[in-house]
């Protein structure tokens, strides 16, 4: 297997960055893990996860709460205070997600090279099917 080195900056493999390839690959999972080992308020979670709307973050956190991955604590204060933390199951799942992210960092060059080869083949096929006049 061929691997091309691109001299990519470390931030390209940071799954908390909205524009990183690693985050794109694990978008369904990675953007839910800003909590880590800390308890965070909603606004802190939102700050940690770039590029997510208030509504989408609320839906995501509620879904994770429903699944038993996140524990939500509401304090009867004005303004209301809501804290989130990973449950034991959430912490165990985070280890798996961290492993997936480490795999992505190790294989990022291979993934990008494979994408470039695939895209080039698809372009060539399209040209063969629709030659220019």
């Amino acid at each position: 297997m061929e691997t091309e080195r691109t001299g990519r900056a470390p931030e390209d493999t940071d799954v908390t960055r909205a524009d990183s390839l690693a985050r794109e690959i694990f978008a369904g999972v990675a953007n839910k893990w800003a909590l880590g080992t800390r308890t965070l308020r909603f606004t802190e979670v939102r700050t940690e996860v770039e590029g997510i709307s208030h509504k989408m973050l609320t839906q995501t956190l509620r879904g994770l709460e429903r699944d038993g991955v996140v524990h939500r604590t509401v304090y009867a204060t004005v303004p209301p205070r809501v804290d989130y933390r990973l449950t034991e199951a959430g912490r165990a799942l985070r280890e798996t997600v961290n492993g997936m992210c480490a795999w992505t960092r190790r294989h990022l060059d291979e993934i990008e090279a494979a994408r470039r080869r695939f895209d080039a083949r698809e372009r060539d096929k399209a040209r063969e099917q629709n030659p220019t006049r």
Side-chain angles (χ1 to χ4, degrees):
M1 182 176 289
E2 234 176 69
T3 301
E4 296 180 27
R5 297 286 172 202
T6 60
R8 176 182 6 279
E11 62 270 10
D12 288 341
T13 57
D14 178 357
V15 297
T16 62
R17 285 178 41 113
D19 58 347
S20 75
L21 178 58
R23 178 158 180 194
E24 177 188 334
I25 291 169
F26 295 114
V29 182
N31 67 355
K32 298 169 178 71
W33 296 104
L35 290 174
T37 57
R38 305 173 303 176
T39 297
L40 298 176
R41 295 182 71 171
F42 181 89
T43 54
E44 293 172 313
V45 176
R46 188 161 183 212
T47 299
E48 296 270 334
V49 181
E50 294 179 13
I52 191 167
S53 69
H54 185 280
K55 180 181 177 182
M56 182 50 85
L57 181 58
T58 298
Q59 289 174 351
T60 298
L61 288 168
R62 296 296 287 199
L64 292 170
E65 179 185 11
R66 180 175 183 256
D67 292 339
V69 175
V70 166
H71 178 79
R72 179 175 177 257
T73 304
V74 180
Y75 297 92
T77 61
V78 176
R81 176 180 161 194
V82 181
D83 288 346
Y84 295 90
R85 67 174 169 76
L86 290 176
T87 63
E88 184 178 334
R91 288 188 299 275
L93 185 54
R94 181 171 174 87
E95 290 178 27
T96 300
V97 171
N98 286 343
M100 291 168 45
C101 292
W103 176 90
T104 301
R105 284 188 293 275
R106 282 192 307 274
H107 297 282
L108 205 50
D109 292 331
E110 294 172 54
I111 292 166
E112 286 182 327
R115 285 180 169 191
R116 284 191 299 275
R117 287 190 304 271
F118 179 89
D119 292 346
R121 281 194 313 268
E122 291 299 307
R123 279 191 304 273
D124 291 346
K125 276 197 262 184
R127 285 186 195 128
E128 290 172 6
Q129 293 172 354
N130 300 311
T132 57
R133 297 175 193 201

